Amino acid sequence: MRILIANDDGYLAPGIAALVRACDGLGHIDVYAPEQNASGTSNALTLTRPLSIFQAKVEGVQGFNVVNGTPSDCVHVALTGVLAQKPDLVLSGINNGANMGDDTLYSGTVAAAMEGFLFGIPAIAFSQAEKGWAHLDAAAAAARAIVDEVIASGALQRGPFLLNVNFPNRADVAARPRAVTRLGRRHSSEPVIQQTNPRGEPIYWIGPAGDAREAGQGTDFHAVAQGCVSITPLQVDLTDHAGRAVWASRLGRA
Ligand code: MN
């Protein structure tokens, strides 16, 4: 069993060390993580400069490979040039904060897992719903239980999949019900925050994500609000299948 672990919060984030420790004993583990916090970088690849990798020991865990790039860079470089053998599973996280609904489009945590999925490898992204790492060890234990059950189910032998897991920050999270959910929707982000730099020029901070808008029964938002673990199976096909016929009538031409 070979597992590749990445994240988007950077190699020094407590979440990835906790996930690596939780996977102890599962087999051979490779860790490739960004040098800096790369949250919100989605599936970006670095194409305008070369990447470097250095080794680090983090929280007593040996063998972290640190990449001066994005989460997708980390997995991409590991899979296409560095690892001698293809992993059986790619894990990402544990992220500092929720990746639910529209977050999944911006998330580097989901993207790192998706990079594995795009290379045909089963992958799971893990996030804690609230920032701040409260009950991180409990989330790591819950992540390990999910990995164990995925392995025991035989799913790894049945082709690639992409799971997006969000944990409520609770001490008893490993014992909480799990809901297999669909993505909810958020309201649009808050407006940018304008400030002035020391030279009198305007600068802009991207505002916070919007609150949940579509958070009904069956969504990831709803499950986590109920104190449950949300597991959303994801796909990467963005095609508006229902819209194809409409657009064919408007714009199609033989
Ligand atoms: Mn993050």
Side-chain angles (χ1 to χ4, degrees), residues 8-9 37-40 95-96 99 109:
D8 80 350
D9 294 327
N37 190 328
S39 296
N95 187 60
N96 186 22
N99 278 309
T109 303

Side-chain angles (χ1 to χ4, degrees), residues 26 143-153:
L26 277 175
R144 170 61 186 262
I146 288 171
V147 170
D148 284 342
E149 290 177 48
V150 164
I151 294 168
S153 75

